[in-house]
Amino acid sequence: MIKVAMTSVYVDDVAKAHAFYTDVLGFETRTHMDLGGGTLFVTVGAKEGAQRDLELLLEPGQGPIAEPYRRAVREAGLPAIVFSVDDLRAEFERLRGEGVHFVQDPQEQGPVLAAVLDDTVGNLVQLAQPTG
């Protein structure tokens, strides 16, 4: 069986992304290594045990491949990543209380209730709750 072990999201600033994804969104740090020269290798993951084998790499978003890709995705209004939540309306209120900027309030989108936030490091992130 093949499973996803790690995926990445390009970010403007790895340290700032790490703080947002852990302190605000509630992920835990899985790996935090200084590779030298100001380069960090940072992964985060869900705190609950269901996804212990899945990590999100906070990937530096500079460079000739990442920058045009990130710009195009952002300008198209597309989320760079989608996270599932059990209670979207509660998460929406909690995150708004933390000062998170949402570009889309919760709304029905087919089989999910979805909202989109700005992660402060160059990406739109969708939160989705299955409705069925």
Side-chain angles (χ1 to χ4, degrees):
M1 172 200 294
I2 298 175
K3 300 186 315 182
V4 176
M6 183 182 298
T7 190
S8 63
V9 62
Y10 291 118
V11 299
D12 292 337
D13 179 313
V14 174
K16 184 178 177 184
H18 181 235
F20 182 82
Y21 279 72
T22 55
D23 298 343
V24 178
L25 294 185
F27 287 99
E28 68 180 9
T29 303
R30 299 280 179 81
T31 306
H32 191 285
M33 296 182 348
D34 186 339
L35 301 177
T39 303
L40 295 175
F41 181 88
V42 177
T43 68
V44 297
K47 286 186 179 179
E48 278 106 46
Q51 293 185 312
R52 293 299 312 159
D53 59 347
L54 179 58
E55 296 182 53
L56 176 64
L57 172 62
L58 303 174
E59 186 84 42
Q62 297 71 32
I65 295 172
E67 288 176 6
Y69 168 77
R70 294 177 65 220
R71 185 174 42 255
V73 169
R74 178 82 183 212
E75 287 173 1
L78 299 173
I81 194 160
V82 178
F83 298 128
S84 65
V85 296
D86 293 328
D87 184 342
L88 179 63
R89 294 191 192 287
E91 281 298 319
F92 175 77
E93 292 303 326
R94 180 185 76 79
L95 292 170
R96 270 197 348 185
E98 294 277 337
V100 173
H101 171 68
F102 280 83
V103 299
Q104 176 194 305
D105 290 352
Q107 62 181 280
E108 297 280 335
Q109 293 182 344
V112 298
L113 180 63
V116 178
L117 62 89
D118 184 323
D119 75 353
T120 74
V121 286
N123 302 294
L124 299 178
V125 173
Q126 184 175 37
L127 302 180
Q129 174 190 345
T131 56

Short mmCIF file of all heavy atoms in Angstrom, two decimals, residues 29-77:
data_model
loop_
_atom_site.label_atom_id
_atom_site.label_comp_id
_atom_site.label_asym_id
_atom_site.label_seq_id
_atom_site.Cartn_x
_atom_site.Cartn_y
_atom_site.Cartn_z
N THR A 29 4.80 20.66 16.02
CA THR A 29 6.07 20.56 15.31
C THR A 29 6.49 19.10 15.29
O THR A 29 6.51 18.44 16.32
CB THR A 29 7.15 21.39 16.02
OG1 THR A 29 6.70 22.74 16.11
CG2 THR A 29 8.48 21.32 15.27
N ARG A 30 6.83 18.61 14.11
CA ARG A 30 7.35 17.24 13.99
C ARG A 30 8.87 17.28 13.79
O ARG A 30 9.58 16.48 14.36
CB ARG A 30 6.70 16.52 12.82
CG ARG A 30 5.18 16.38 12.93
CD ARG A 30 4.78 15.23 13.85
NE ARG A 30 3.34 15.12 13.96
CZ ARG A 30 2.56 14.52 13.08
NH1 ARG A 30 3.05 13.97 11.99
NH2 ARG A 30 1.25 14.47 13.28
N THR A 31 9.35 18.20 12.95
CA THR A 31 10.79 18.33 12.69
C THR A 31 11.11 19.82 12.64
O THR A 31 10.37 20.59 12.04
CB THR A 31 11.17 17.71 11.32
OG1 THR A 31 10.71 16.37 11.26
CG2 THR A 31 12.67 17.76 11.10
N HIS A 32 12.21 20.20 13.27
CA HIS A 32 12.69 21.58 13.21
C HIS A 32 14.21 21.52 13.23
O HIS A 32 14.82 21.34 14.27
CB HIS A 32 12.17 22.39 14.40
CG HIS A 32 12.41 23.86 14.25
ND1 HIS A 32 13.64 24.45 14.42
CD2 HIS A 32 11.57 24.87 13.93
CE1 HIS A 32 13.55 25.74 14.23
NE2 HIS A 32 12.30 26.03 13.93
N MET A 33 14.81 21.65 12.02
CA MET A 33 16.25 21.56 11.90
C MET A 33 16.80 22.80 11.20
O MET A 33 16.23 23.24 10.21
CB MET A 33 16.64 20.33 11.06
CG MET A 33 16.27 19.02 11.70
SD MET A 33 16.74 17.52 10.78
CE MET A 33 17.23 18.03 9.19
N ASP A 34 17.88 23.31 11.73
CA ASP A 34 18.60 24.40 11.09
C ASP A 34 19.64 23.77 10.18
O ASP A 34 20.56 23.09 10.64
CB ASP A 34 19.27 25.28 12.15
CG ASP A 34 19.91 26.52 11.55
OD1 ASP A 34 20.20 26.54 10.33
OD2 ASP A 34 20.13 27.47 12.32
N LEU A 35 19.48 23.96 8.87
CA LEU A 35 20.38 23.36 7.90
C LEU A 35 21.59 24.25 7.61
O LEU A 35 22.43 23.91 6.78
CB LEU A 35 19.63 23.07 6.59
CG LEU A 35 18.44 22.11 6.72
CD1 LEU A 35 17.75 21.96 5.38
CD2 LEU A 35 18.87 20.77 7.27
N GLY A 36 21.66 25.39 8.30
CA GLY A 36 22.76 26.32 8.10
C GLY A 36 22.43 27.36 7.05
O GLY A 36 21.55 27.18 6.22
N GLY A 37 23.12 28.46 7.12
CA GLY A 37 22.92 29.53 6.15
C GLY A 37 21.53 30.13 6.19
O GLY A 37 21.05 30.66 5.19
N GLY A 38 20.87 30.05 7.33
CA GLY A 38 19.53 30.62 7.46
C GLY A 38 18.43 29.74 6.90
O GLY A 38 17.28 30.16 6.80
N THR A 39 18.75 28.50 6.54
CA THR A 39 17.76 27.58 5.97
C THR A 39 17.22 26.65 7.05
O THR A 39 17.99 25.97 7.73
CB THR A 39 18.38 26.74 4.83
OG1 THR A 39 18.89 27.63 3.84
CG2 THR A 39 17.35 25.83 4.21
N LEU A 40 15.90 26.63 7.18
CA LEU A 40 15.25 25.75 8.14
C LEU A 40 14.52 24.63 7.41
O LEU A 40 13.97 24.83 6.33
CB LEU A 40 14.22 26.53 8.97
CG LEU A 40 14.73 27.62 9.89
CD1 LEU A 40 13.56 28.37 10.53
CD2 LEU A 40 15.64 27.04 10.96
N PHE A 41 14.51 23.45 8.01
CA PHE A 41 13.70 22.34 7.55
C PHE A 41 12.68 22.09 8.64
O PHE A 41 13.03 21.65 9.75
CB PHE A 41 14.56 21.08 7.32
CG PHE A 41 13.77 19.91 6.81
CD1 PHE A 41 13.58 19.74 5.45
CD2 PHE A 41 13.23 18.98 7.69
CE1 PHE A 41 12.86 18.65 4.97
CE2 PHE A 41 12.50 17.90 7.22
CZ PHE A 41 12.32 17.74 5.86
N VAL A 42 11.41 22.45 8.37
CA VAL A 42 10.37 22.39 9.39
C VAL A 42 9.18 21.62 8.85
O VAL A 42 8.68 21.92 7.76
CB VAL A 42 9.92 23.81 9.82
CG1 VAL A 42 8.79 23.73 10.83
CG2 VAL A 42 11.10 24.60 10.38
N THR A 43 8.73 20.63 9.64
CA THR A 43 7.49 19.94 9.32
C THR A 43 6.55 20.04 10.51
O THR A 43 6.98 20.10 11.66
CB THR A 43 7.70 18.45 8.95
OG1 THR A 43 8.12 17.72 10.11
CG2 THR A 43 8.69 18.29 7.81
N VAL A 44 5.26 20.07 10.21
CA VAL A 44 4.21 20.09 11.23
C VAL A 44 3.21 19.00 10.89
O VAL A 44 3.18 18.47 9.79
CB VAL A 44 3.52 21.47 11.30
CG1 VAL A 44 4.51 22.55 11.71
CG2 VAL A 44 2.83 21.83 10.00
N GLY A 45 2.37 18.69 11.87
CA GLY A 45 1.33 17.69 11.66
C GLY A 45 0.23 17.84 12.68
O GLY A 45 0.35 18.60 13.65
N ALA A 46 -0.84 17.11 12.45
CA ALA A 46 -1.99 17.14 13.36
C ALA A 46 -1.59 16.62 14.74
O ALA A 46 -0.78 15.70 14.85
CB ALA A 46 -3.13 16.30 12.79
N LYS A 47 -2.15 17.22 15.77
CA LYS A 47 -1.84 16.79 17.14
C LYS A 47 -2.48 15.46 17.48
O LYS A 47 -1.93 14.68 18.23
CB LYS A 47 -2.28 17.85 18.15
CG LYS A 47 -1.39 19.05 18.17
CD LYS A 47 -1.78 20.01 19.26
CE LYS A 47 -0.85 21.20 19.30
NZ LYS A 47 -1.21 22.16 20.33
N GLU A 48 -3.67 15.20 16.95
CA GLU A 48 -4.33 13.95 17.25
C GLU A 48 -3.66 12.79 16.54
O GLU A 48 -3.06 12.96 15.48
CB GLU A 48 -5.82 14.02 16.88
CG GLU A 48 -6.64 14.70 17.96
CD GLU A 48 -7.05 16.09 17.55
OE1 GLU A 48 -7.50 16.27 16.42
OE2 GLU A 48 -6.92 17.02 18.37
N GLY A 49 -3.79 11.58 17.10
CA GLY A 49 -3.07 10.41 16.62
C GLY A 49 -3.46 9.84 15.28
O GLY A 49 -2.75 9.01 14.74
N ALA A 50 -4.56 10.28 14.68
CA ALA A 50 -5.04 9.65 13.45
C ALA A 50 -4.10 9.85 12.27
O ALA A 50 -4.08 9.04 11.35
CB ALA A 50 -6.43 10.18 13.08
N GLN A 51 -3.31 10.88 12.27
CA GLN A 51 -2.42 11.17 11.15
C GLN A 51 -0.97 11.30 11.59
O GLN A 51 -0.23 12.13 11.10
CB GLN A 51 -2.88 12.44 10.43
CG GLN A 51 -4.20 12.31 9.74
CD GLN A 51 -4.55 13.55 8.95
OE1 GLN A 51 -4.44 14.67 9.46
NE2 GLN A 51 -4.96 13.36 7.72
N ARG A 52 -0.52 10.44 12.45
CA ARG A 52 0.85 10.50 12.97
C ARG A 52 1.89 10.33 11.87
O ARG A 52 3.02 10.77 11.99
CB ARG A 52 1.09 9.43 14.03
CG ARG A 52 0.31 9.64 15.30
CD ARG A 52 0.58 10.91 16.05
NE ARG A 52 2.00 11.19 16.24
CZ ARG A 52 2.49 12.39 16.50
NH1 ARG A 52 1.69 13.43 16.60
NH2 ARG A 52 3.77 12.57 16.66
N ASP A 53 1.52 9.64 10.78
CA ASP A 53 2.47 9.37 9.71
C ASP A 53 2.40 10.38 8.57
O ASP A 53 3.01 10.18 7.53
CB ASP A 53 2.29 7.96 9.17
CG ASP A 53 0.90 7.71 8.61
OD1 ASP A 53 -0.01 8.52 8.85
OD2 ASP A 53 0.72 6.68 7.94
N LEU A 54 1.66 11.48 8.75
CA LEU A 54 1.51 12.49 7.71
C LEU A 54 2.07 13.83 8.20
O LEU A 54 1.69 14.31 9.26
CB LEU A 54 0.04 12.65 7.33
CG LEU A 54 -0.28 13.70 6.26
CD1 LEU A 54 0.46 13.41 4.95
CD2 LEU A 54 -1.78 13.74 6.01
N GLU A 55 3.00 14.40 7.42
CA GLU A 55 3.62 15.66 7.79
C GLU A 55 3.47 16.68 6.67
O GLU A 55 3.42 16.34 5.50
CB GLU A 55 5.11 15.45 8.07
CG GLU A 55 5.35 14.55 9.25
CD GLU A 55 6.83 14.39 9.56
OE1 GLU A 55 7.51 15.42 9.71
OE2 GLU A 55 7.28 13.24 9.65
N LEU A 56 3.43 17.95 7.06
CA LEU A 56 3.38 19.07 6.14
C LEU A 56 4.72 19.79 6.23
O LEU A 56 5.09 20.30 7.30
CB LEU A 56 2.23 20.02 6.50
CG LEU A 56 2.12 21.28 5.66
CD1 LEU A 56 1.82 20.93 4.19
CD2 LEU A 56 1.05 22.20 6.21
N LEU A 57 5.45 19.83 5.11
CA LEU A 57 6.72 20.53 5.04
C LEU A 57 6.47 21.99 4.70
O LEU A 57 5.81 22.29 3.70
CB LEU A 57 7.62 19.88 3.98
CG LEU A 57 8.93 20.59 3.65
CD1 LEU A 57 9.84 20.68 4.87
CD2 LEU A 57 9.62 19.88 2.49
N LEU A 58 6.98 22.88 5.53
CA LEU A 58 6.88 24.32 5.27
C LEU A 58 8.08 24.69 4.42
O LEU A 58 9.18 24.94 4.92
CB LEU A 58 6.81 25.09 6.59
CG LEU A 58 5.66 24.67 7.51
CD1 LEU A 58 5.75 25.38 8.85
CD2 LEU A 58 4.32 24.88 6.85
N GLU A 59 7.87 24.67 3.13
CA GLU A 59 8.93 24.76 2.12
C GLU A 59 9.23 26.22 1.75
O GLU A 59 8.32 26.98 1.45
CB GLU A 59 8.45 24.03 0.87
CG GLU A 59 9.45 23.90 -0.23
CD GLU A 59 10.38 22.73 -0.04
OE1 GLU A 59 9.93 21.65 0.35
OE2 GLU A 59 11.58 22.93 -0.28
N PRO A 60 10.51 26.62 1.76
CA PRO A 60 10.84 27.98 1.32
C PRO A 60 10.29 28.23 -0.09
O PRO A 60 10.48 27.41 -0.99
CB PRO A 60 12.37 28.01 1.34
CG PRO A 60 12.75 26.96 2.32
CD PRO A 60 11.71 25.88 2.16
N GLY A 61 9.58 29.34 -0.27
CA GLY A 61 8.87 29.60 -1.51
C GLY A 61 9.59 30.51 -2.49
O GLY A 61 8.98 31.01 -3.42
N GLN A 62 10.87 30.71 -2.29
CA GLN A 62 11.61 31.54 -3.22
C GLN A 62 12.16 30.65 -4.34
O GLN A 62 12.32 29.46 -4.16
CB GLN A 62 12.77 32.25 -2.52
CG GLN A 62 12.34 33.23 -1.44
CD GLN A 62 11.80 32.58 -0.17
OE1 GLN A 62 12.20 31.50 0.20
NE2 GLN A 62 10.85 33.25 0.48
N GLY A 63 12.43 31.26 -5.47
CA GLY A 63 13.07 30.52 -6.56
C GLY A 63 12.27 30.58 -7.84
O GLY A 63 11.10 30.96 -7.86
N PRO A 64 12.91 30.19 -8.94
CA PRO A 64 12.29 30.33 -10.26
C PRO A 64 11.11 29.40 -10.52
O PRO A 64 10.32 29.67 -11.42
CB PRO A 64 13.44 30.03 -11.22
CG PRO A 64 14.38 29.18 -10.43
CD PRO A 64 14.26 29.66 -9.00
N ILE A 65 10.96 28.34 -9.77
CA ILE A 65 9.82 27.45 -9.94
C ILE A 65 8.70 27.83 -8.98
O ILE A 65 7.55 27.99 -9.37
CB ILE A 65 10.23 25.98 -9.73
CG1 ILE A 65 11.20 25.55 -10.83
CG2 ILE A 65 9.00 25.07 -9.70
CD1 ILE A 65 11.82 24.20 -10.63
N ALA A 66 9.07 28.00 -7.71
CA ALA A 66 8.07 28.25 -6.67
C ALA A 66 7.36 29.59 -6.83
O ALA A 66 6.13 29.66 -6.69
CB ALA A 66 8.70 28.16 -5.29
N GLU A 67 8.11 30.65 -7.09
CA GLU A 67 7.50 31.98 -7.11
C GLU A 67 6.41 32.14 -8.17
O GLU A 67 5.31 32.60 -7.86
CB GLU A 67 8.58 33.05 -7.25
CG GLU A 67 9.38 33.20 -5.97
CD GLU A 67 10.52 34.20 -6.07
OE1 GLU A 67 10.65 34.88 -7.10
OE2 GLU A 67 11.29 34.29 -5.10
N PRO A 68 6.64 31.76 -9.44
CA PRO A 68 5.56 31.89 -10.43
C PRO A 68 4.37 30.99 -10.11
O PRO A 68 3.22 31.39 -10.30
CB PRO A 68 6.21 31.48 -11.75
CG PRO A 68 7.67 31.57 -11.53
CD PRO A 68 7.90 31.37 -10.07
N TYR A 69 4.64 29.80 -9.62
CA TYR A 69 3.56 28.88 -9.25
C TYR A 69 2.71 29.48 -8.14
O TYR A 69 1.48 29.53 -8.24
CB TYR A 69 4.16 27.53 -8.80
CG TYR A 69 3.15 26.64 -8.13
CD1 TYR A 69 2.22 25.92 -8.87
CD2 TYR A 69 3.12 26.52 -6.74
CE1 TYR A 69 1.28 25.11 -8.25
CE2 TYR A 69 2.20 25.71 -6.11
CZ TYR A 69 1.28 25.01 -6.87
OH TYR A 69 0.35 24.21 -6.26
N ARG A 70 3.35 29.94 -7.09
CA ARG A 70 2.62 30.51 -5.95
C ARG A 70 1.81 31.73 -6.36
O ARG A 70 0.66 31.90 -5.95
CB ARG A 70 3.60 30.91 -4.84
CG ARG A 70 4.28 29.72 -4.21
CD ARG A 70 5.29 30.12 -3.17
NE ARG A 70 4.60 30.75 -2.07
CZ ARG A 70 5.08 31.81 -1.43
NH1 ARG A 70 6.21 32.36 -1.76
NH2 ARG A 70 4.41 32.33 -0.42
N ARG A 71 2.41 32.59 -7.17
CA ARG A 71 1.72 33.80 -7.62
C ARG A 71 0.48 33.43 -8.43
O ARG A 71 -0.60 33.98 -8.23
CB ARG A 71 2.67 34.67 -8.44
CG ARG A 71 2.07 36.00 -8.85
CD ARG A 71 3.06 36.93 -9.54
NE ARG A 71 3.94 36.29 -10.51
CZ ARG A 71 5.24 36.03 -10.30
NH1 ARG A 71 5.81 36.36 -9.17
NH2 ARG A 71 5.97 35.44 -11.24
N ALA A 72 0.61 32.47 -9.35
CA ALA A 72 -0.51 32.07 -10.21
C ALA A 72 -1.64 31.44 -9.39
O ALA A 72 -2.82 31.74 -9.61
CB ALA A 72 -0.03 31.10 -11.28
N VAL A 73 -1.28 30.59 -8.44
CA VAL A 73 -2.30 29.95 -7.60
C VAL A 73 -3.03 31.00 -6.77
O VAL A 73 -4.26 31.01 -6.69
CB VAL A 73 -1.66 28.86 -6.71
CG1 VAL A 73 -2.63 28.37 -5.65
CG2 VAL A 73 -1.18 27.69 -7.57
N ARG A 74 -2.29 31.91 -6.18
CA ARG A 74 -2.88 32.97 -5.34
C ARG A 74 -3.78 33.89 -6.17
O ARG A 74 -4.90 34.20 -5.77
CB ARG A 74 -1.76 33.76 -4.66
CG ARG A 74 -2.22 34.91 -3.81
CD ARG A 74 -2.63 34.45 -2.47
NE ARG A 74 -3.15 35.56 -1.68
CZ ARG A 74 -3.03 35.64 -0.39
NH1 ARG A 74 -2.41 34.72 0.28
NH2 ARG A 74 -3.55 36.65 0.25
N GLU A 75 -3.28 34.33 -7.34
CA GLU A 75 -4.06 35.23 -8.19
C GLU A 75 -5.33 34.57 -8.70
O GLU A 75 -6.34 35.24 -8.92
CB GLU A 75 -3.21 35.72 -9.36
CG GLU A 75 -2.16 36.73 -8.94
CD GLU A 75 -1.19 37.11 -10.05
OE1 GLU A 75 -1.32 36.61 -11.19
OE2 GLU A 75 -0.28 37.92 -9.77
N ALA A 76 -5.32 33.26 -8.87
CA ALA A 76 -6.51 32.53 -9.29
C ALA A 76 -7.48 32.32 -8.13
O ALA A 76 -8.60 31.83 -8.33
CB ALA A 76 -6.12 31.18 -9.90
N GLY A 77 -7.06 32.67 -6.91
CA GLY A 77 -7.92 32.51 -5.75
C GLY A 77 -8.03 31.07 -5.29
O GLY A 77 -8.98 30.71 -4.59
#
